[in-house]
């Protein structure tokens, strides 16, 4: 009995260990795991076109398989948005104009003509955008690879989306003739053109086989924005 009594007193003297607190679902904050900075940078760089991608692309013999990012860099997505806008515009205005043409009651002649002209805008605009986009992708797929010499690079003082605009003048030979072209580039494109000019080296250019005066400078295919994270 004395041993049992001593054990009871020893147990009572020992400090009680509080149970581990477990937050309830109501009080536990929601944690959203953010990707590490290195993974975020890699994800952004995977969706960009750098000079190594351009070199591998232009070295392919035509017809080339155009990667999605290079196609977007050249053709862009603005044309697709404009196609959608003009299509909606057509669906809205053309039926209204046809009804007005059939009824022709209470509508001023000037308004009638104006609606007709606006209805023709999609008819002209949609084929123009389709042809322009097709030509931009076609030269990437079937263009002949030539070498171009950068003649001059100078900044214009204009910025587009926080990217400095530069005017690049270059010369290339196609079909036995020399062609001198000038175009606008932005951001990292202008920096690369300046590096090529300073080094005195040549840079690739894709020339339309059906129109030697139409070309795409390889520098135009890189992303103008550099990733700095």
């Amino acid at each position: 009995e004395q041993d049992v009594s001593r054990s009871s007193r020893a147990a009572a003297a020992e400090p009680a260990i509080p149970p581990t607190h477990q937050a309830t679902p109501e009080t536990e904050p929601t944690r959203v795991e953010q990707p590490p900075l290195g993974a975020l940078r890699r994800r952004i760089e995977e969706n960009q076109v750098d000079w190594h991608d351009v070199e591998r692309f232009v070295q392919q013999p035509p017809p080339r398989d155009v990667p999605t990012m290079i196609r977007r860099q050249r053709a862009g997505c603005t044309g697709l948005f404009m196609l959608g806008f003009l299509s909606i515009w057509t669906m809205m205005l053309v039926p209204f104009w046809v009804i007005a043409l059939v009824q022709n009651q209470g509508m001023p002649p000037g308004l009638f003509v104006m609606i007709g002209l606006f209805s023709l805008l999609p008819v002209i605009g949609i084929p123009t955008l389709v042809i322009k986009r097709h030509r931009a992708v076609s030269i990437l797929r079937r263009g002949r690879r030539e070498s171009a010499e950068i003649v001059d690079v100078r900044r214009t003082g204009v910025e587009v989306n926080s990217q400095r605009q530069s005017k690049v003048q270059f010369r290339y030979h196609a079909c036995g003739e020399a062609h001198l072209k000038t175009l606008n580039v932005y951001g990292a494109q202008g920096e690369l053109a300046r590096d090529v000019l300073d080094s005195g080296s040549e840079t690739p250019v894709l020339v339309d086989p059906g129109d030697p005066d139409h070309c795409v400078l390889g520098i135009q295919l890189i992303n103008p924005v550099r990733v700095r994270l």
Side-chain angles (χ1 to χ4, degrees), residues 74-182:
R74 177 57 184 166
C77 299
T78 306
L80 296 178
F81 289 118
M82 288 299 297
L83 284 174
F85 173 76
L86 291 176
S87 300
I88 295 174
W89 185 276
T90 303
M91 290 186 293
M92 292 175 58
L93 282 185
V94 170
F96 184 75
W97 184 78
V98 172
I99 294 174
L101 179 64
V102 173
Q103 295 182 353
N104 196 19
Q105 295 179 357
M107 178 176 292
L111 181 59
F112 181 79
V113 174
M114 185 180 298
I115 294 176
L117 292 177
F118 275 106
S119 301
L120 290 176
L121 180 62
V123 177
I124 299 174
I126 291 178
T128 302
L129 289 174
V130 171
I131 293 173
K132 183 178 180 180
R133 184 175 177 82
H134 173 75
R135 190 182 186 192
V137 177
S138 178
I139 192 174
L140 297 178
R141 193 182 306 275
R142 299 180 175 85
R144 292 198 310 267
R145 184 185 185 277
E146 303 289 349
S147 296
E149 174 193 1
I150 302 295
V151 178
D152 184 41
V153 179
R154 55 186 175 86
R155 289 180 176 171
T156 62
V158 178
E159 287 191 3
V160 178
N161 295 330
S162 301
Q163 301 302 314
R164 293 180 177 179
Q165 183 189 75
S166 299
K167 193 173 292 291
V168 176
Q169 190 176 47
F170 62 98
R171 182 188 297 111
Y172 65 95
H173 292 80
C175 298
E177 297 181 357
H179 299 262
L180 186 64
K181 306 284 288 184
T182 302

